[in-house]
Amino acid sequence: MQKINVGVVGTGFIGPAHIEALRRLPNTNVLALCEVTTELARQKADQLGIERACTFDELLKMDDIKVVHICTPNFLHYSQSKAALEAGKHVVCEKPLAKDLHEAEELVKLAKETGLVNAVHFNLRYYPLVRQMKVMREQDDLGEVYSIIGSYLQDWLFYDTDYNWRLEPDKSGDSRAIADIGSHLMDSLEYITGLKTVAVMADFNTVHKLRKKPLKPVETYSGKMLQPEDYADVPINTEDHANVLLRFDNGNRGVITVSQVSAGRKNQMKLEIAGSKKTYAWNSEAPNEMWIGNRDGANQSFMRDPSLAHPEARSVISFPGGHNEGFPDTSKQLFKEVYAAIEAGKQPENPTYPTFADGYRELLICEKILESNRKQAWVTIE
């Protein structure tokens, strides 16, 4: 088997997650790791067991690197994805695809012109029961979608001393909670239901309007108490919490709540989709089980099991029933489909994986939600 050589850009939380997932595929070889300096790249490459350490410009000049994974802060996604495509390399980009619609539209166009494989890491689609719900809905098990209730809750920014680059709009963009985790939620809802969101009404809240930014690396003080002089007060103007009313193209309604200040919720995406025949409910913190609600019979609990799942969902399950699969498996399953396309050498006409066009779609929804919050009014999505 001829392995496909990969370069990964960025070594925060998600870069190593990509690397771990890629190493679980038989046809990939993570050959190069890129950081802002060669010295940092070498340090991280040694930690992760990667042969080459380089800067981004050096990576683009490596002819044997066929695919680039962009795992950097949001403000770099556009320029790095564009440069990689122009260098003739397939691209897997973290979300959001870009910082604004103009940039995203340009990337969609460029990707189409090159014919290169392009994907956005909406990996939460790849929980097996998310795909199972999609297939069951396509086979009319759910019926017409009446309503959707969704939430995505975290607590990693619960304290005013919690700080990260995502709090800075010049690096992350004008939206935080909605753009960061709300985008996964909206992508999954539209993916499962097949509906398009046509209007939004948003209300944001910044719980910590002033946060304390550490003046020294936090890891240096692991296990120690920082002193008041070790912080700088920073005003915050992106949302900690958001509620959004939704209208769909079938005329029905939904609502989502997104929060990064919900104590005890580490990474919970929750969906409840009510149809004319049944209701589906699923929670990412217990991802191997979905609840099926019935009006005139007993409710059901569906456990992830390849012998019981539809064939389309079975394709993203690697282990038998009772052998749980979770977050790391979602990236592996997404990359499995992406790299099948890369082996074929071009973007398929109807990709099963999320593409730059899906990245544009979620950025459009996010911008309309931001506009709605500013106006405190309903905003249509065309």
Side-chain angles (χ1 to χ4, degrees):
M1 178 186 293
Q2 184 70 35
K3 292 200 172 189
I4 301 164
N5 289 332
V6 185
V8 175
V9 189
T11 59
F13 161 70
I14 206 65
H18 279 236
I19 292 164
E20 190 273 340
L22 286 164
R23 284 174 166 165
R24 296 170 66 193
L25 300 179
N27 59 341
T28 67
N29 176 34
V30 182
L31 186 59
L33 187 66
C34 167
E35 259 297 350
V36 288
T37 66
T38 305
E39 293 75 23
L40 181 59
R42 183 71 269 161
Q43 176 191 338
K44 296 291 187 178
D46 288 345
Q47 289 173 2
L48 295 164
I50 296 171
E51 180 182 328
R52 297 180 193 169
C54 58
T55 63
F56 185 69
D57 289 341
E58 291 168 343
L59 178 68
L60 295 185
K61 294 173 184 175
M62 296 178 185
D63 292 336
D64 56 347
I65 297 292
K66 303 303 179 186
V67 192
V68 174
H69 283 237
I70 308 294
C71 303
T72 49
N74 300 354
F75 74 100
L76 293 169
H77 292 179
Y78 161 73
S79 60
Q80 291 181 338
S81 293
K82 181 180 179 181
L85 288 171
E86 290 176 338
K89 303 186 187 301
H90 307 289
V91 178
V92 178
C93 185
E94 266 302 320
K95 52 79 201 163
L97 179 60
K99 280 186 70 179
D100 60 52
L101 285 174
H102 174 74
E103 290 181 348
E105 190 173 24
E106 186 181 341
L107 288 178
V108 171
K109 183 181 177 183
L110 178 60
K112 186 174 183 180
E113 288 170 353
T114 63
L116 292 162
V117 173
N118 57 93
V120 175
H121 192 235
F122 284 123
N123 59 307
L124 301 193
R125 288 187 186 191
Y126 281 80
Y127 280 109
L129 293 184
V130 169
R131 184 165 290 191
Q132 176 70 13
M133 285 186 283
K134 171 184 169 63
V135 177
M136 289 170 68
R137 187 269 307 166
E138 289 173 339
Q139 297 188 3
D140 202 33
D141 177 81
L142 178 66
E144 181 189 359
V145 176
Y146 282 172
S147 69
I148 296 172
I149 302 169
S151 64
Y152 203 141
L153 309 178
Q154 298 178 328
D155 74 355
W156 69 288
L157 292 172
F158 180 73
Y159 296 115
D160 66 353
T161 51
D162 291 326
Y163 203 86
N164 180 269
W165 62 264
R166 292 185 183 278
L167 292 156
E168 299 173 2
D170 62 326
K171 296 182 180 69
S172 185
D174 292 334
S175 170
R176 183 189 358 125
I178 285 289
D180 184 18
I181 53 180
S183 57
H184 274 297
L185 179 58
M186 290 302 301
D187 176 75
S188 296
L189 289 176
E190 292 198 340
Y191 175 72
I192 294 166
T193 65
L195 298 177
K196 293 294 184 186
T197 309
V198 296
V200 293
M201 173 64 164
D203 189 29
F204 290 2
N205 186 28
T206 303
V207 174
H208 297 302
K209 295 176 176 58
L210 202 66
R211 285 183 180 266
K212 298 184 181 300
K213 180 178 181 177
L215 297 173
K216 299 174 183 178
V218 173
E219 56 267 27
T220 304
Y221 291 89
S222 181
K224 298 180 182 179
M225 292 294 292
L226 291 177
Q227 300 303 310
E229 63 269 19
D230 295 323
Y231 293 105
D233 286 340
V234 176
I236 301 298
N237 54 15
T238 54
E239 74 281 4
D240 291 318
H241 178 279
N243 296 315
V244 188
L245 297 175
L246 310 169
R247 291 177 180 167
F248 300 109
D249 57 356
N250 72 344
N252 289 328
R253 306 291 196 265
V255 61
I256 63 168
T257 294
V258 175
S259 174
Q260 293 177 321
V261 290
S262 294
R265 293 301 185 195
K266 303 306 178 185
N267 192 50
Q268 185 200 66
M269 185 171 82
K270 206 170 180 183
L271 314 171
E272 184 150 329
I273 303 167
S276 58
K277 296 181 179 180
K278 298 179 187 298
T279 296
Y280 301 156
W282 178 84
N283 166 13
S284 70
E285 289 188 343
N288 291 277
E289 180 179 359
M290 66 177 281
W291 180 86
I292 302 172
N294 298 292
R295 165 66 187 263
D296 297 317
N299 296 332
Q300 300 163 276
S301 181
F302 185 107
M303 302 299 291
R304 181 208 55 82
D305 186 332
S307 68
L308 301 175
H310 289 297
E312 298 91 336
R314 198 177 305 144
S315 70
V316 296
I317 302 176
S318 295
F319 295 94
H323 298 74
N324 287 340
E325 291 174 277
F327 180 85
D329 300 281
T330 61
S331 295
K332 181 192 77 170
Q333 299 295 353
L334 190 162
F335 297 158
K336 184 172 71 175
E337 294 184 348
V338 170
Y339 278 80
I342 290 169
E343 279 193 326
K346 63 178 182 179
Q347 186 87 339
E349 282 192 24
N350 297 298
T352 52
Y353 52 84
T355 66
F356 280 14
D358 294 294
Y360 174 88
R361 170 72 186 166
E362 290 316 308
L363 202 62
L364 172 64
I365 293 172
C366 180
E367 290 211 357
K368 295 299 183 180
I369 289 173
L370 269 168
E371 181 184 343
S372 172
N373 178 67
R374 284 194 299 267
K375 293 179 176 178
Q376 288 291 285
W378 281 97
V379 171
T380 58
I381 301 173
E382 298 175 358

